[in-house]
Amino acid sequence: GDSVTQMEGPVTLSEEAFLTINCTYTATGYPSLFWYVQYPGEGLQLLLKATKADDKGSNKGFEATYRKETTSFHLEKGSVQVSDSAVYFCALTANNFGNEKLTFGTGTRLTIIP
Amino acid sequence: DGGITQSPKYLFRKEGQNVTLSCEQNLNHDAMYWYRQDPGQGLRLIYYSQIVNDFQKGDIAEGYSVSREKKESFPLTVTSAQKNPTAFYLCASSMGRRFGETQYFGPGTRLLVL
């Protein structure tokens, strides 16, 4: 079945450091890929998405590129801020023609130190 | 402002009791979803509904029930048959069931057992 594997956390970085959170997936066909962010005590917010190979999703300084050859969708940001501290989830929907459920990774907790 | 509301924010369940979590959306979305989040895990799908008066079981439907009498509302009942109900419950909606459709999440309800 479909699955998402995320980099184990927690991840702790200093402010202005470069961020990479790894995400790889297994799916039949050509899935759509998502990154969601969850701030403490809140629901999930869509951060970015990509729907086909080589697409780059971007938002708020974060980027991720859909790499079909390596089945990856790594999240990157060039200079993190304290306000980026949150849990980040990689997710996919596979083209199951009527069963468009989101499959999530386990999440990566990110803490940014001033 | 359009969005998804969930209530209450915290809910306490006594042994043998059924409790109902509310989810309302004013986004005019056709599809709605319920997820369960446990510490250190990704989200798991409980139930989903593509259209009024129709819903399907997700991956972990046992011990839960739902209804979809109105487009805007998708309440979740945690029954006494659910032996481990303590979790964070998230409701989501999407415009339809087209491939790659983005799901939007509510703020969540935390259920605790007394």
Side-chain angles (χ1 to χ4, degrees), chain B residues 46-103:
Chain B
I46 304 172
Y47 268 98
Y48 63 98
S49 168
Q50 301 179 53
I51 195 168
V52 174
N53 292 323
D54 185 57
F55 48 83
Q56 286 79 41
K57 293 181 179 180
D59 299 321
I60 55 165
E62 186 174 349
Y64 301 96
S65 66
V66 293
S67 63
R68 186 87 187 275
E69 297 177 1
K70 298 186 298 182
K71 186 175 184 178
E72 311 83 53
S73 178
F74 191 41
L76 173 74
T77 297
V78 184
T79 74
S80 57
Q82 173 51 244
K83 297 307 179 188
N84 184 24
T86 297
F88 191 47
Y89 290 87
L90 288 158
C91 180
S93 70
S94 65
M95 192 176 299
R97 296 300 300 277
R98 289 187 298 272
F99 177 55
E101 198 72 60
T102 298
Q103 293 185 22

Side-chain angles (χ1 to χ4, degrees), chain A residues 4 10 19-21 26 29 34 41-42 59-60 73 80 101 105:
Chain A
V4 175
L19 169 71
T20 300
I21 300 178
T26 302
F34 303 82
E42 298 184 9
N59 186 26
K60 299 181 181 179
F73 193 54
V80 292
K101 71 166 190 171

Side-chain angles (χ1 to χ4, degrees), chain B residues 34-46:
Chain B
W34 274 106
Y35 292 89
R36 170 180 171 139
Q37 184 180 21
D38 294 283
Q41 298 188 35
L43 281 68
R44 293 181 289 168
L45 182 65
I46 304 172

